[in-house]
C-alpha cells in the first residue's frame, strides 16, 4: 500500500531472501544503554522496509554487527580508515555486514545508510563505505509561528504549534525526527527567526517544559534544538529598561536566563538570532555593532557549550527607490566584513547563499572567503518562497550545486570551505501538516537533498535525485526514470519562465508568487530592475554600485566584464540595452521572449510526462501531483505573457519568431 505520508525511509522494498537472512541475525556490540536505541531503529527499519524480523543473536552467529569504534573496531580491517565525529563505516565481508559508528550518532547514521542503500539495491558485495560529515552543524530552520501559521510555509500549518501554544502529535514528531536523522540533520529550530510576542517566551518558564518535551523527542535521533530568540528579551521577558548588549544588567539577565534554559534542555545547541533585520530589534538600536550583540549571547552560552547562529540578513529595508547610490546586495558584506576577527569562537554567522534573498538566480554571496577569522554558515531556502511555493515543481538541487561549486578564488569553492571557514549549513524548512509533509509530494526531494548535501556537498543533483526517486517511488525503472527526468528539468524550466539573465524580483509583492514585473519597482525594499524603453538592469561594477569589488579580484574582473560574466547573471551585474547580443547572437530581448516560451513549454512537457505514469503509480500520488501541475501551467502561462507583454510594450520590438505576445 502507498501512503503519501510515507517517505524515503518508511516504505516496503523487495530484497533477496538471502539478504533478509543476513539482516535478521544481528548483534549490538555494546553494553552501552545509549546505543540500544540504534538497535531498535535497525529492527524497526528491517521490519518496516523489508518485512523481516530481527533476532538478536550472539556475535558468532550474527549477519549484521552494530557498534561504535570503542567496542566494534575489531569488526573492521585494521587499515587505518577511521570515520571522524558522527561518521561511520559499513563493511561487508563474506556475508557479514559490520556497521561501526565513530560515536552513537555515527552508528545511527550508518544504520540508516545501510537500510537506504539496501532499499535502492545499491549495497555492493564487499562494500566498504567510510564517511564523515563534511559540515559539523547541519541545521534545519523552521519559520513556524506559535499561531500555527508558518512564515513562507506552503505545506499546511505547523506540526509543532497552534493557537499560540504547543500542539503536536508525538508520533508525527518522531517520524519527522527519523526522516531528518536519516539524511544527517543534527540541529533543529522549530520557531521562526521573526520572534513575535508569544514566541519570545519560549525561553521562559511559561514554555520551557513543552520545549523540553520536544527536545526529548528529537534527542534519541541525534538532533539538538537551537531556539530562535528575540534580541529584546531582557525588556520583553525580564522587564528591563534596555536590551543594550553592553549593559551589565542585560548581560546578567541573559546569563541567568541561559542557566534556566539549560536546566530544562541540557544539550541545547544554542540560539539563532535575526537582529536589526526587517524591523527586528538588535544592537544597532543602541549604537552597538553585531559583534557586541552576538558576543554577549555567546558569553552566556559558553559555559554550556552552546553556540550563537547570528544571521547576516541585515540591510536597509526602508530605502528610497530614487536613491541609486544604495545597493541592497552590498549590505551583508558592508555590515559584517569589517567585524572579521571580532566574533567569539562560539558564534557562527549565518549567511544566505545570495546577496539578495533566495531569488531564482543570484550570484553567491561575497562573504565566503572574505571573513577568514569568523565561522560562517551557508543558509539556503528549502521552502520554495521564490521558486514556485510548492505549487510549481522546482528541484533546488541544481541551484545549490551552483552555489557549492562556485569558486571564490579566496581560495577554493564554497564546498571546499566546509569544515574550515564554513562550519554549518542551514536550510529553511519546507515542512508542514500536509499529508505528504511538503505540500507538493515531489518537493520532498528538496528536504532530502538538503540533508544529503549538508552531509556531503560533493554529491551531484543526479546522484541525489536517483537516490530519492528509488527510495520514494520504488524500483520500476520506468517510473523512477521519468520522475527523475521531471525533477531534473524542473529548475531550468522555472528559471526560464520567471527570471531571465539574473533579473530578480518580478514577483507579486508580499506573497511572492506569480509575475508582477514592477511590483517592487517603487518600494522601500531595494529591489529594482530600472527598465526603460532602451535598457534594463543595474550596473554593479566598480563604475556602478561597486558591488563586484566585494569579490576576490579575479571574480570582480570575471563579473565586471560583459564577455566573461556568466550569462545567467548578466542582468544581475550589468545594465544593458535590449539589443545587446549574447554569445549565441541573440539579443537580450529575444532571449527574454524565447526563454518565456520555452519555460512554459517545459511545464507542459513535464505535466505530459507525469500523465504517462497514471496507470503505474498510486492514484493518491498521481492525483496530488497532477493537480499541482495544473496550477503550475497556469502560473507559467501568466509569467510568459505578463513578462513578454511588459518588454514588448517597453521596446515595441516584436518576437522574431512571430509567437503570440499580447500587445
Ligand atoms: O525573504 C525574506 C522573507 C521573510 C523572512 C526573511 C528572513 C523570516 O520574505 O519572510 O523572514 O526573508 O530571511 O528573515
Amino acid at each position: 500500500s502507498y501512503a503519501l505520508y510515507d517517505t524515503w525511509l518508511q516504505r516496503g522494498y523487495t530484497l533477496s531472501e538471502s539478504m533478509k537472512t543476513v539482516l535478521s541475525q544481528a548483534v549490538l556490540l555494546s553494553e552501552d544503554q545509549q546505543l540500544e536505541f540504534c538497535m531498535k531503529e535497525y529492527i524497526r527499519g528491517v521490519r518496516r522496509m523489508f518485512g523481516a524480523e530481527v533476532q538478536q543473536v550472539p556475535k558468532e552467529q550474527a549477519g549484521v554487527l552494530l557498534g561504535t569504534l570503542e567496542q566494534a573496531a575489531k569488526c573492521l580491517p585494521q587499515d587505518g580508515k577511521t570515520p571522524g565525529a558522527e561518521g561511520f563505516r559499513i563493511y561487508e565481508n563474506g556475508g557479514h555486514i559490520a556497521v561501526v559508528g565513530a560515536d552513537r550518532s555515527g552508528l545511527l547514521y550508518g544504520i540508516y545508510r545501510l537500510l537506504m542503500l539496501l532499499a535502492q539495491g545499491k549495497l555492493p558485495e564487499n562494500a566498504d563505505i567510510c564517511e564523515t560529515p563534511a559540515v559539523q552543524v547541519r541545521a534545519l530552520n523552521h519559520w513556524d509561528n506559535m499561531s500555527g501559521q508558518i512564515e513562507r510555509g506552503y505545506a499546511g500549518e505547523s506540526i509543532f504549534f497552534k493557537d499560540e501554544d504547543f500542539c503536536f502529535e508525538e508520533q508525527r514528531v518522531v517520524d519527522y525526527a527519523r526522516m531528518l536523522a536519516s539524511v544527517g540533520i543534527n540541529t533543529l529550530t522549530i520557531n521562526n527567526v521573526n520572534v513575535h510576542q508569544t514566541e519570545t517566551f519560549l525561553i521562559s518558564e511559561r514554555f520551557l517544559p513543552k520545549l523540553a518535551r520536544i527536545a526529548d523527542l528529537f534527542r534519541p535521533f541525534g538532533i539538538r534544538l537551537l531556539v530562535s530568540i528575540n534580541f529584546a528579551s531582557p525588556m520583553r521577558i525580564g522587564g528591563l529598561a534596555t536590551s543594550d548588549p553592553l549593559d551589565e544588567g542585560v548581560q546578567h539577565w541573559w546569563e541567568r536566563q541561559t542557566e534556566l534554559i539549560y536546566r530544562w534542555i541540557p544539550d541545547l545547541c544554542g540560539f539563532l538570532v535575526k537582529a536589526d533585520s526587517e524591523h527586528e530589534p538588535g544592537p544597532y538600536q543602541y549604537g552597538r555593532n553585531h559583534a557586541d550583540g552576538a558576543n554577549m549571547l555567546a558569553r552566556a552560552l559558553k559555559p554550556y557549550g552552546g553556540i550563537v547562529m547570528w544571521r547576516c540578513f541585515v540591510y536597509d529595508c526602508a530605502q528610497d527607490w530614487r536613491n541609486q547610490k544604495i545597493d541592497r546586495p552590498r549590505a551583508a558584506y558592508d555590515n559584517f566584513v569589517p567585524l572579521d576577527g571580532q566574533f567569539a569562537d562560539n558564534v557562527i554567522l549565518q549567511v544566505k547563499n545570495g546577496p539578495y534573498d533566495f531569488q531564482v538566480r543570484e550570484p553567491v554571496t561575497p562573504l565566503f572567503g572574505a571573513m577568514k577569522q569568523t565561522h560562517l554558515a551557508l543558509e539556503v531556502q528549502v521552502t520554495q518562497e521564490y521558486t514556485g511555493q510548492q505549487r510549481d515543481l522546482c528541484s533546488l538541487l541544481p541551484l545549490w550545486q551552483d552555489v557549492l561549486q562556485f569558486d571564490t578564488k579566496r581560495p577554493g569553492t564554497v564546498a571546499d570551505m566546509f569544515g574550515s571557514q564554513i562550519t554549518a549549513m542551514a536550510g529553511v524548512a519546507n515542512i508542514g501538516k500536509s499529508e505528504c509533509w511538503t505540500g507538493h509530494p515531489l518537493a520532498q526531494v528538496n528536504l532530502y537533498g538538503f540533508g544529503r548535501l549538508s552531509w556531503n556537498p560533493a554529491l551531484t543533483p543526479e546522484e541525489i535525485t536517483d537516490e530519492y526517486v528509488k527510495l520514494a517511488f520504488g524500483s520500476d525503472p520506468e517510473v523512477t526514470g521519468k520522475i527523475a527526468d521531471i525533477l531534473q528539468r524542473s529548475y531550468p524550466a522555472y528559471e526560464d519562465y520567471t527570471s531571465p539573465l539574473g533579473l530578480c524580483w518580478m514577483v507579486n509583492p508580499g506573497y511572492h508568487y506569480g509575475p508582477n514585473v514592477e511590483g517592487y519597482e517603487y518600494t522601500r525594499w531595494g529591489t529594482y530592475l530600472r527598465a526603460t524603453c532602451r535598457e534594463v538592469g543595474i550596473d554593479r561594477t566598480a563604475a556602478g554600485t561597486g558591488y563586484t569589488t566585494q569579490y576576490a579580484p579575479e571574480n570582480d574582473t570575471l563579473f565586471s566584464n560583459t564577455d566573461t560574466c556568466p550569462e545567467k547573471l548578466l542582468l544581475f551585474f550589468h545594465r544593458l540595452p535590449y539589443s545587446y547580443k549574447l554569445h549565441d547572437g541573440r539579443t537580450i530581448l529575444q532571449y527574454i521572449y524565447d526563454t518565456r516560451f520555452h519555460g512554459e513549454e517545459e511545464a507542459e512537457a513535464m505535466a505530459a510526462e507525469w500523465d504517462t505514469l497514471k496507470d503505474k503509480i498510486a492514484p493518491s500520488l498521481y492525483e496530488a501531483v497532477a493537480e499541482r501541475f495544473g496550477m503550475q501551467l497556469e502560473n507559467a502561462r501568466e509569467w510568459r505573457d505578463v513578462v513578454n507583454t511588459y518588454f514588448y510594450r517597453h521596446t515595441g520590438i516584436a518576437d522574431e519568431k512571430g509567437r503570440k505576445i499580447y500587445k
Side-chain angles (χ1 to χ4, degrees):
S1 77
Y2 182 94
L4 286 171
Y5 180 88
D6 293 337
T7 56
W8 52 83
L9 204 63
Q10 318 275 4
R11 300 186 190 294
Y13 305 86
T14 44
L15 204 60
S16 70
E17 286 307 315
S18 58
M19 185 50 93
K20 278 196 205 170
T21 310
V22 172
L23 294 185
S24 56
Q25 314 279 310
V27 65
L28 178 64
L29 298 169
S30 168
E31 282 106 56
D32 186 348
Q33 299 249 315
Q34 295 281 314
L35 296 186
E36 264 159 38
F37 178 82
C38 302
M39 180 51 112
K40 278 201 197 131
E41 281 298 287
Y42 173 77
I43 295 172
R44 180 200 169 278
V46 172
R47 180 186 300 136
R48 174 108 180 211
M49 295 166 73
F50 309 115
E53 286 304 319
V54 175
Q55 313 291 327
Q56 300 200 51
V57 297
K59 194 176 158 193
E60 301 70 44
Q61 296 162 28
V64 173
L65 300 98
L66 306 174
T68 55
L69 280 174
E70 222 176 299
Q71 278 155 319
K74 282 190 243 54
C75 305
L76 299 172
Q78 305 304 303
D79 56 6
K81 256 201 262 172
T82 313
E86 295 183 282
F88 60 79
R89 188 162 173 188
I90 298 174
Y91 182 74
E92 199 267 351
N93 186 20
H96 300 275
I97 302 171
V99 181
V100 181
D103 42 37
R104 185 189 173 284
S105 292
L107 175 59
L108 193 62
Y109 295 139
I111 289 169
Y112 291 137
R113 183 65 66 77
L114 173 70
L115 296 173
M116 285 160 69
L117 286 170
L118 288 165
Q120 296 167 62
K122 273 191 197 159
L123 188 77
E125 252 175 64
N126 302 319
D128 186 2
I129 302 162
C130 185
E131 291 193 15
T132 302
V135 191
Q136 289 115 295
V137 182
R138 303 176 298 281
L140 199 68
N141 296 171
H142 279 248
W143 286 354
D144 295 18
N145 295 321
M146 291 186 77
S147 66
Q149 183 263 346
I150 301 178
E151 182 153 356
R152 312 306 175 185
Y154 312 104
E157 301 238 296
S158 171
I159 61 171
F160 300 113
F161 305 118
K162 194 181 167 61
D163 298 336
E164 304 299 319
D165 203 341
F166 281 82
C167 177
F168 53 92
E169 251 178 83
E170 295 212 345
Q171 187 56 51
R172 181 153 202 168
V173 172
V174 168
D175 288 339
Y176 184 44
R178 180 179 296 113
M179 277 165 69
L180 297 185
S182 73
V183 290
I185 286 164
N186 66 0
T187 307
L188 183 73
T189 301
I190 65 168
N191 68 307
N192 190 355
V193 288
N194 290 325
V195 184
H196 308 294
Q197 177 65 18
T198 311
E199 293 82 350
T200 300
F201 289 85
L202 272 173
I203 56 166
S204 76
E205 235 138 16
R206 181 160 145 207
F207 289 125
L208 275 169
K210 290 179 183 169
L211 191 64
R213 178 65 195 144
I214 296 280
D216 290 345
L217 294 174
F218 281 100
R219 183 172 300 110
F221 293 91
I223 297 170
R224 293 160 72 202
L225 295 188
L226 183 84
V227 59
S228 292
I229 58 103
N230 186 327
F231 195 78
S233 295
M235 297 155 84
R236 306 265 179 86
I237 303 176
L240 270 55
T242 174
S243 295
D244 180 350
L246 298 192
D247 180 279
E248 269 184 36
V250 169
Q251 294 169 357
H252 286 146
W253 186 86
W254 277 112
E255 279 158 26
R256 282 194 310 276
Q257 201 67 20
T258 305
E259 190 195 337
L260 172 74
I261 301 166
Y262 275 85
R263 250 185 273 147
W264 283 99
I265 310 174
D267 61 349
L268 185 86
C269 182
F271 298 151
L272 173 61
V273 194
K274 172 174 178 176
D276 289 317
S277 166
E278 300 185 330
H279 312 293
E280 291 297 300
Y284 280 164
Q285 288 176 327
Y286 305 98
R288 314 300 184 191
N289 68 35
H290 283 253
D292 296 329
N295 291 346
M296 173 206 42
L297 296 173
R299 270 194 305 277
L301 287 160
K302 187 83 180 172
Y304 314 95
I307 62 170
V308 179
M309 295 194 72
W310 186 274
R311 297 178 83 233
C312 293
F313 187 55
V314 178
Y315 67 98
D316 179 0
C317 65
Q319 192 183 323
D320 182 348
W321 62 269
R322 300 167 190 85
N323 180 348
Q324 302 203 1
K325 292 257 149 49
I326 310 176
D327 187 20
R328 173 167 159 186
R330 293 187 54 124
Y333 187 103
D334 287 343
N335 279 293
F336 286 92
V337 173
L339 301 176
D340 189 25
Q342 294 182 34
F343 289 94
D345 197 44
N346 57 333
V347 173
I348 302 178
L349 297 186
Q350 184 164 314
V351 193
K352 290 192 184 190
N353 64 268
Y356 253 143
D357 186 11
F358 303 133
Q359 298 302 291
V360 179
R361 174 75 61 173
E362 292 184 51
V364 172
T365 172
L367 265 69
F368 294 138
M371 297 191 76
K372 292 215 174 0
Q373 300 174 69
T374 308
H375 299 299
L376 299 176
L378 165 64
E379 180 181 316
V380 299
Q381 202 178 38
V382 187
T383 192
Q384 292 170 235
E385 176 177 2
Y386 297 97
T387 49
Q389 306 200 346
Q390 283 136 259
R391 280 177 260 183
D392 300 32
L393 181 64
C394 190
S395 162
L396 298 168
L397 301 175
L399 187 164
W400 296 336
Q401 184 186 41
D402 282 351
V403 172
L404 294 166
Q405 298 312 323
F406 173 68
D407 189 350
T408 67
K409 308 273 184 198
R410 279 174 153 157
T413 64
V414 172
D416 292 337
M417 291 180 178
F418 280 118
S420 53
Q421 283 176 63
I422 307 182
T423 49
M425 185 157 165
V428 181
N430 62 349
I431 285 292
K433 265 196 176 155
S434 101
E435 198 191 345
C436 66
W437 300 90
T438 49
H440 195 312
L442 301 184
Q444 286 174 2
V445 76
N446 291 325
L447 182 63
Y448 181 86
F450 167 75
R452 296 290 287 127
L453 281 174
S454 66
W455 179 277
N456 178 5
L459 289 170
T460 66
E462 292 74 21
E463 287 167 322
I464 296 172
T465 306
D466 184 66
E467 288 178 14
Y468 169 70
V469 294
K470 287 187 171 135
L471 292 169
F473 307 111
S475 58
D476 178 343
E478 188 193 337
V479 173
T480 54
K482 282 185 175 169
I483 299 179
D485 179 60
I486 291 170
L487 286 170
Q488 305 272 25
R489 291 162 81 169
S490 61
Y491 171 74
Y494 192 79
E495 178 175 22
D496 267 356
Y497 58 79
T498 58
S499 309
L501 305 168
L503 275 185
C504 309
W505 296 107
M506 299 194 288
V507 293
N508 279 306
Y511 61 96
H512 300 163
Y513 187 78
N516 188 340
V517 181
E518 292 197 337
Y520 272 111
E521 195 59 33
Y522 306 103
T523 68
R524 309 163 280 133
W525 296 97
T527 46
Y528 315 115
L529 314 179
R530 306 209 175 107
T532 66
C533 60
R534 273 182 296 273
E535 298 173 316
V536 62
I538 292 172
D539 179 3
R540 296 199 154 103
T541 68
T545 71
Y547 167 71
T548 58
T549 65
Q550 297 181 340
Y551 289 93
E554 295 94 316
N555 283 334
D556 179 3
T557 308
L558 179 92
F559 292 138
S560 295
N561 181 333
T562 49
D563 284 333
T564 56
C565 179
E567 277 188 347
K568 295 260 175 188
L569 289 167
L570 195 60
L571 292 179
F572 186 95
F573 285 110
H574 298 278
R575 177 165 185 78
L576 292 168
Y578 297 105
S579 58
Y580 179 88
K581 288 244 169 61
L582 300 173
H583 293 311
D584 67 3
R586 272 188 290 183
T587 64
I588 282 179
L589 183 69
Q590 190 57 39
Y591 180 93
I592 292 175
Y593 291 154
D594 284 351
T595 43
R596 250 98 307 269
F597 285 112
H598 184 251
E600 192 278 339
E601 284 158 15
E602 278 291 287
E604 280 186 40
M606 291 188 290
E609 191 169 4
W610 183 257
D611 269 345
T612 67
L613 293 173
K614 184 165 187 175
D615 301 322
K616 300 230 151 204
I617 56 179
S620 55
L621 174 64
Y622 170 78
E623 291 298 339
V625 174
E627 192 195 343
R628 303 269 155 173
F629 270 129
M631 301 187 236
Q632 175 162 3
L633 277 177
E634 214 174 290
N635 191 40
R637 285 175 191 148
E638 196 68 6
W639 271 97
R640 177 194 65 193
D641 294 336
V642 169
V643 176
N644 280 346
T645 293
Y646 176 88
F647 286 106
Y648 174 77
R649 287 184 184 166
H650 272 60
T651 61
I653 300 171
D655 171 34
E656 282 167 8
K657 298 185 183 136
R659 289 162 294 193
K660 176 79 191 165
I661 292 180
Y662 296 82
K663 315 269 148 100

